[in-house]
Amino acid sequence: MNCKEARLRIALQKSGKLSEGSISLLNKCNFNLRVAKNHLLVQSKELNTDFLMVRDDDIPGFINSEVCDIGIVGENLFVEYDLTNKKHNLEIVARLKFAYCRLSVAVKSDSGIKSLKALNGKKIATSYPATLERFLKKEKIKAEVIVMHGSVELAARIGVADAVCDLVSSGTTLKENGLVELHTVLESEALLIGNKNLDKNVKNKIADLNFRFQSVIRAIDSKYIMLHIDKKNVSKLKNILPGCESPTTLELHENPDKVAVHVVSKESLLWDIIAQLKKIGATSILVVSIDKIMD
Ligand code: PRT
Ligand code: ZN
């Protein structure tokens, strides 16, 4: 092994809808990043890493040309630039389950456009022309694509286009601009992407980083539940918690009929599950957040 270990170079969005989630995920993996406004290069001793803080649009190019090894981008960008195409040296390393959004076609609520077919002959404004062109071709719709690099939602309002094709998250921005969604073109989330021609040592480091990411991601929607229950009711748990075939149980001191049970549940189902646990006599219920789940 080299006495000077290679550094892992990671490109992150400096500021925007991906940056907070990216830094939060890395910090849950102990990177302890504190990025100030003027910091373009941030170093961490964790895995010997250099972070390049750039615009999201520059990330695929930096990875493709080996200025960086990996980076975090939105799936919408990956699709727009057709980055899986063999002419690029890029691959998706992992889905990171944040920055969820969708690319949608939307129209003015009073436009009278009620179906995709009705877009024939119309103008659609977007910052994602390649994705939209591919979609229109697939749907056999002949519409004019107007490229805008920002404020796309305004296009229909000011008469630049009849419809827009833009990213939507909560839908508030569309609503504020009098638009309604007509069709989802693409669902998107943050992706960890990398150069596919990296040497084995760097790939091992990336695998190590991704192991940490996945341990955090698995824990995000999970809660650890501890409870006391009659031994005879333990078998009922598997009906309440699918996948809980053989839960961890501990016999209670001086109470051989009861056990303490430890199980993991999805947070989104928590209150429903607690109600069902109470119905089968669970007591002393404790719910604890989970930091990481290692596989
Ligand atoms: O400066 P830089 O070039 O780095 O950033 P940018 O302005 O190009 O991108 P940015 O920060 O807006 O988005 C980066 C990535 O975050 C996108 O490529 C998506 O993958 C992801 N993402 C997730 C979003 C949203 N959610 C999102 N809501 N990107 C943009 N939006 C915008 C959308 O365009 C619209 O203007 O937010 C508005 C809608 O939000 P809602 O909640 O009102 O629907
Ligand atoms: Zn951008």
Side-chain angles (χ1 to χ4, degrees), residues 84-272:
T84 42
N85 191 304
K86 280 202 182 92
K87 68 179 186 226
H88 302 294
N89 304 314
L90 298 169
E91 64 183 356
I92 297 173
V93 180
R95 300 186 156 269
L96 299 179
K97 302 202 174 165
F98 70 90
Y100 283 110
C101 58
R102 56 196 183 274
L103 185 67
S104 283
V105 175
V107 293
K108 269 179 30 182
S109 41
D110 58 0
S111 68
I113 301 174
K114 300 259 186 273
S115 67
L116 283 178
K117 254 190 177 168
L119 290 171
N120 270 301
K122 303 281 194 240
K123 290 179 182 171
I124 311 173
T126 189
S127 306
Y128 295 90
T131 311
L132 178 58
E133 296 274 17
R134 279 196 294 267
F135 172 75
L136 293 173
K137 195 171 169 198
K138 190 179 99 213
E139 298 291 332
K140 299 191 174 61
I141 295 164
K142 293 215 168 356
E144 187 183 341
V145 174
I146 312 277
V147 182
M148 285 177 71
H149 298 289
S151 309
V152 172
E153 297 92 347
L154 270 182
R157 214 162 151 183
I158 59 175
V160 169
D162 306 290
V164 303
C165 177
D166 198 13
L167 295 176
V168 184
S169 174
S170 66
T172 311
T173 309
L174 287 187
K175 221 173 178 182
E176 280 172 0
N177 287 284
L179 299 164
V180 286
E181 273 179 275
L182 188 67
H183 194 89
T184 301
V185 174
L186 174 84
E187 305 268 4
S188 175
E189 68 182 291
L191 300 178
L192 180 66
I193 62 167
N195 188 300
K196 54 186 177 195
N197 307 318
L198 298 170
D199 80 51
K200 210 171 137 215
N201 284 335
V202 182
K203 284 216 165 174
N204 286 343
K205 268 193 168 203
I206 295 169
D208 193 348
L209 176 71
N210 193 28
F211 173 76
R212 297 180 191 202
F213 278 174
Q214 297 309 319
S215 306
V216 170
I217 291 167
R218 252 181 248 120
I220 283 171
D221 185 31
S222 300
K223 292 283 172 191
Y224 194 70
I225 308 175
M226 294 176 266
L227 54 102
H228 291 175
I229 197 167
D230 283 347
K231 235 183 207 171
K232 63 177 172 25
N233 283 339
V234 169
S235 62
K236 294 181 183 162
L237 285 172
K238 64 173 182 286
N239 300 327
I240 298 174
L241 291 149
C244 176
E245 301 301 323
S246 44
T248 311
T249 59
L250 297 162
E251 200 168 279
L252 296 190
H253 183 58
E254 290 180 350
N255 195 346
D257 296 336
K258 278 202 170 229
V259 283
V261 183
H262 294 195
V263 287
V264 173
S265 148
K266 288 276 148 221
E267 185 172 16
S268 45
L269 305 174
L270 187 68
W271 294 109
D272 189 33

